[in-house]
Amino acid sequence: MKIELTRRYSFAASHRLAHPRFTEEENRRLYGKCANPYGHGHNYVLEVTVAGPVDATTGMVANLADLDGFVQREVLDVFDHVYLNEQIEAFRPESGGQVPTTENLCIEIFRRLQPFPFARLCRVRLEETGRNSFEYAGQASRRP
Amino acid sequence: MKIELTRRYSFAASHRLAHPRFTEEENRRLYGKCANPYGHGHNYVLEVTVAGPVDATTGMVANLADLDGFVQREVLDVFDHVYLNEQIEAFRPESGGQVPTTENLCIEIFRRLQPFPFARLCRVRLEETGRNSFEYAGQASRRP
Amino acid sequence: MKIELTRRYSFAASHRLAHPRFTEEENRRLYGKCANPYGHGHNYVLEVTVAGPVDATTGMVANLADLDGFVQREVLDVFDHVYLNEQIEAFRPESGGQVPTTENLCIEIFRRLQPFPFARLCRVRLEETGRNSFEYAGQASRRP
Amino acid sequence: MKIELTRRYSFAASHRLAHPRFTEEENRRLYGKCANPYGHGHNYVLEVTVAGPVDATTGMVANLADLDGFVQREVLDVFDHVYLNEQIEAFRPESGGQVPTTENLCIEIFRRLQPFPFARLCRVRLEETGRNSFEYAGQASRRP
Amino acid sequence: MKIELTRRYSFAASHRLAHPRFTEEENRRLYGKCANPYGHGHNYVLEVTVAGPVDATTGMVANLADLDGFVQREVLDVFDHVYLNEQIEAFRPESGGQVPTTENLCIEIFRRLQPFPFARLCRVRLEETGRNSFEYAGQASRRP
Amino acid sequence: MKIELTRRYSFAASHRLAHPRFTEEENRRLYGKCANPYGHGHNYVLEVTVAGPVDATTGMVANLADLDGFVQREVLDVFDHVYLNEQIEAFRPESGGQVPTTENLCIEIFRRLQPFPFARLCRVRLEETGRNSFEYAGQASRRP
C-alpha cells in the first residue's frame, strides 16, 4: 500500500543569472533579461513529494506536521525573502557558488530535504513562474 | 501509441480523524485539529488516470462518457455530501473500519475504480486541500 | 489615493443544511443532498477586502501582519476544522441559530471583521466550492 | 544531476469529432455533442517536458529561449487559431487523416517536438478543458 | 442583508471574427488571426452574479438548483459545442447578426439571463481565455 | 452597451521595503522580512480593466492588440526583470522616491496606463502573491 504525499509550499526570493567568468555581454546573450545586474525576483512554488507505506493504525504515510516543520526549517527559513546570489552560500560567486538558476535551486532544495526521517523523499518540483517548473528526483533517477 | 487520459472530478465530504483505540488526548496529539470530535470537511478533488492504446478508428483511449458514468456510480454517488466516518462502511469504527485519512480514502477509491472495463486504471490522485494531495498507483507499484 | 487590499485565507469546516421547522422530506426537497443528516464539508476560501488611503510614509493601506492577526483570531480560530451546526452558536438550532448556508456564514464573518481598526472593511467574499461564491458588503450597500 | 523542465503554452483551435466511415447518427452516438457538424473549439493548454543533465557552467538543462522558439515554430504557429479538420493535413478526412481527438493531437504534437536538439523530449501533456488532459511519452513507454 | 451569489459555468464553442462588409484583408488587419476563415474556438468560462436579500428562513439568496436549471436552458444548451457564426441567429451574417466577439456574446448572454425570476441579475463575466474577460452589467450601468 | 474588458499580464521584479528615515530596526519591525537589506522578489500579476461602449461595427470595446502594445511599452518594458528600488526613479530613495510597496506600485502603474487612448481605464489590480492583491481605481473613486 505504498502511497505518495505531495505538499505545496511557497517562498519569495530574488536572483540574478550571470556567470562570473562571462562578460556582461555574454551573460546578457545567454540569460537574456535575467542577467540584469540589479537582479529581479519570483514567487517560487515548491512541491515536495514523499512516499512510503500507509501506517496501518494511523492511516498516514507521514504526519503533515512533521513534514511542515522539516521543510520550514530546512528550506523556507533559508530561502524565503532573500537575494539568492548574496545570502545563500551555494550561490555566492565569491564562494565559487553556482548560478542560481531554478534548476540549481531545485537540486539544492532536494539535497536539503533528502534526510527527512519519516518517509522517503521522491522528488521536488519547483515553479519559477506559472509557466515553467523544474523537477528533480535525485541521482537514483539516472541509474535505471 | 499508449496514452494516458486524466479526468478531474470533485466531491464534498466531512470526516474526523481519530483512532478508536486512542484516547481523546492521544488523537489530538496525533491528528491535531483534525481530531475535533464534531468533524470538519473538505472539497476533495479527484484525478483519475487511465491508459491504453489509442483506438485506430475512434481516436480515443476511452470514451469520456463511459469513464464519467463509472466514476459517478462507483465514487461520486458514494462519497459526495456524506460524513465518511458514519456513512461509509470502510471507515466506520463500529465495523472495524480504518481512519478516514485522505491516504485511506485514496486507496479505497482506487479499489473501486480498478475494475473499469475500457482502459487500465493507472493511478488516482486525491487533493484534500489546495496544499496537499495523495497519489496511489496500486500494489503493482510496490513490486519493481 | 484610496486603494483596496484583498487578502485570501482558507479554512475547512462541515455543515448540514436543514431548517428545524421543516420535515426531513421538506429539507431534502429544499436543500437537496446538502440536507444529508450526517452533514458534509468544504474547504472555504475567504477573501477579505479593506480600503483606505495609502500612508504617505509607510506606503501601506494596512499592515498585513495586523490584518492576518485579526482574521486569525476573529475568523480562522473560530471556524476552522469545526462542525458549524454544533460548534458555532449562531448556527445551532438549539439556540435558535440560522441555517449555516454560505450566505449566512459570509454575513457572520463580515460582522466579526467589521471592527478591524486599521482600515475600513469593504466586503467579504466566501467561496464554498470552486464553482460558487458569495459576497457581502454590509448593510450600507442596501442604501445606494 | 538529471532534471526535468516543464514549460506551459496555450493555443485556441476548433475541431469536430466524426469518422468519415460512420453515419451522422453513429458519430453522434460515439462522440456525443462533439460530433456537431459545425464544429466547436477549445483553449488547449500544452505542457512540454524535456530532460537532461544540468550544464555545470550555465546551470540550465535547456535554454528557455531555444525551447520557446522551437515550440512556437513547430506547434503554435501551426495549431493556433485554426480549424483542425480542415487546416491540418494529418486531420483532414479528404487526406485520410485521423479524427482530431485530443489523443491524436497530443501524439501529433509529440511527433513534431521530438527532434528538439537541446534536451530529450520526455512527454507532452495536453489539456482540452480544465477537466481532462492527455499525456503521451512516445513509443519507448510501451517497451519496458 | 443584500448579498451577491456568483456561480461559475463553462462551455466550448468556435467562432470567426470578420465583418461581412469588410474585405478579407481588412478583417485580417482588424481581428488578426481571429479572422482565419475556418474559425477557431475557446473554452468559455461564464460567471453569473445575482443579488438579493437573504431569505430569513432558508438562508439563501436563490436556490442553486433554480439558477443552474435556468442557465442550462437559456445559455449552455444554446451555446455549448456550437459554431457561433452559423448556429446562433444573433451572430449569423446572413441574418444581419453581429460579429461574435466576446463582448457581443457577453451582452447576448446577459439578455438571456435577465428574466431569471428568483433574484436580480447583477452582471455576467465571460472569460475567452485565461488572459482576457469581459463583464457586462446591463444598461442601468450607463445611467450612474 | 458599456462593457468592461479585463486583461491579465505578469512580470517579475525584486524590491526591498524600507524607509530611508527609519533605522534598520524600525524597518524590520514595520515591514518584517520584507525589510531584508538584500531585497527579495515576486511574480506580479497585473489585471488592467478598461471600459467603454461596444463599437457597433467591430463588436469590440478596444482592440486587444492596441491594449497589449500600450501595456507592454508603458509597464512591462519598464518593470519586468528589474530591482524596483534601484532602477525605477519613482522608487529610488536617492531621488526621494516612495517605498515600493505593492500599493505604490499599483498606483504608479495606474498613472502610466491612464492615458490609454482607446477606452477609459477603470482600474488596475496587482497581485503580489497568490494571497494578496491591491486594486486602484484612480482619484475619482474618492469622490463617490
Side-chain angles (χ1 to χ4, degrees), chain D residues 1-110:
Chain D
M1 294 300 182
K2 210 192 68 175
I3 206 165
E4 285 184 4
L5 151 63
T6 296
R7 185 84 165 154
R8 201 174 169 89
Y9 305 91
S10 60
F11 60 93
S14 58
H15 69 164
R16 186 214 169 190
L17 301 189
H19 197 284
R21 282 215 315 271
F22 297 160
T23 65
E24 203 68 9
E25 167 74 24
E26 287 168 330
N27 277 317
R28 176 64 67 168
R29 209 175 320 117
L30 183 59
Y31 296 110
K33 55 191 175 180
C34 297
N36 167 27
Y38 297 91
H40 64 281
H42 298 289
N43 300 322
Y44 292 95
V45 174
L46 170 67
E47 285 186 1
V48 176
T49 300
V50 300
V54 175
D55 183 280
T57 304
T58 67
M60 296 192 288
V61 60
N63 199 315
L64 285 183
D66 291 331
L67 182 59
D68 285 357
F70 193 83
V71 173
Q72 182 68 45
R73 202 167 54 244
E74 298 298 324
V75 176
L76 304 182
D77 285 351
V78 176
F79 295 108
D80 192 22
H81 279 71
V82 307
Y83 180 37
L84 300 171
N85 302 50
E86 289 282 347
Q87 298 179 274
I88 303 297
E89 202 61 23
F91 301 129
R92 294 196 68 203
E94 295 79 353
S95 324
Q98 291 179 289
V99 181
T101 56
T102 310
E103 285 93 328
N104 280 333
L105 182 54
C106 188
I107 292 170
E108 175 67 14
I109 289 174
F110 186 94

Side-chain angles (χ1 to χ4, degrees), chain B residues 63-101:
Chain B
N63 200 314
L64 285 182
D66 291 331
L67 183 59
D68 285 358
F70 194 82
V71 173
Q72 183 68 45
R73 202 166 57 244
E74 298 298 324
V75 175
L76 303 183
D77 285 351
V78 176
F79 295 108
D80 191 22
H81 280 70
V82 307
Y83 180 36
L84 300 172
N85 304 50
E86 290 281 345
Q87 297 180 274
I88 303 297
E89 201 62 22
F91 300 130
R92 295 196 66 204
E94 295 80 354
S95 323
Q98 291 180 292
V99 181
T101 56

Side-chain angles (χ1 to χ4, degrees), chain C residues 36-105:
Chain C
N36 167 27
Y38 297 91
H40 64 281
H42 298 289
N43 301 323
Y44 292 95
V45 174
L46 169 67
E47 286 187 0
V48 177
T49 300
V50 300
V54 175
D55 183 281
T57 304
T58 67
M60 296 192 287
V61 60
N63 199 314
L64 285 183
D66 290 332
L67 182 59
D68 286 358
F70 193 82
V71 173
Q72 182 69 45
R73 202 167 53 244
E74 298 298 324
V75 175
L76 304 183
D77 285 350
V78 176
F79 295 107
D80 192 22
H81 280 72
V82 307
Y83 180 38
L84 299 171
N85 304 50
E86 291 281 347
Q87 298 180 273
I88 303 296
E89 203 61 21
F91 301 130
R92 295 196 67 205
E94 294 81 352
S95 325
Q98 291 179 290
V99 181
T101 57
T102 310
E103 285 92 329
N104 281 334
L105 182 54

Side-chain angles (χ1 to χ4, degrees), chain D residues 33 36 42-43 80-81, chain E residues 33 36 42-43 80-81 87:
Chain D
K33 55 191 175 180
N36 167 27
H42 298 289
N43 300 322
D80 192 22
H81 279 71
Chain E
K33 56 190 174 180
N36 167 27
H42 298 288
N43 300 324
D80 192 22
H81 280 71
Q87 299 180 274

Side-chain angles (χ1 to χ4, degrees), chain B residues 37-49:
Chain B
Y38 296 91
H40 64 281
H42 298 288
N43 300 322
Y44 292 94
V45 174
L46 170 67
E47 286 187 0
V48 176
T49 301

Side-chain angles (χ1 to χ4, degrees), chain B residues 13-17 33-34 38-42, chain C residues 12-14 41 81-83:
Chain B
S14 56
H15 69 165
R16 187 214 168 190
L17 301 189
K33 56 192 175 179
C34 297
Y38 296 91
H40 64 281
H42 298 288
Chain C
S14 57
H81 280 72
V82 307
Y83 180 38

Side-chain angles (χ1 to χ4, degrees), chain A residues 28-62:
Chain A
R28 176 64 67 168
R29 210 175 320 117
L30 183 59
Y31 296 110
K33 56 189 174 181
C34 296
N36 167 27
Y38 296 91
H40 64 281
H42 298 289
N43 300 324
Y44 292 96
V45 174
L46 169 67
E47 286 187 0
V48 176
T49 301
V50 300
V54 176
D55 184 280
T57 304
T58 67
M60 297 192 288
V61 60

Side-chain angles (χ1 to χ4, degrees), chain A residues 4 6 8 58-59 61 63, chain B residues 19 30-31 101 103 131 133 135:
Chain A
E4 286 184 3
T6 296
R8 202 175 169 88
T58 67
V61 60
N63 200 315
Chain B
H19 197 285
L30 183 59
Y31 296 110
T101 56
E103 286 93 327
R131 289 201 51 212
S133 65
E135 192 170 305

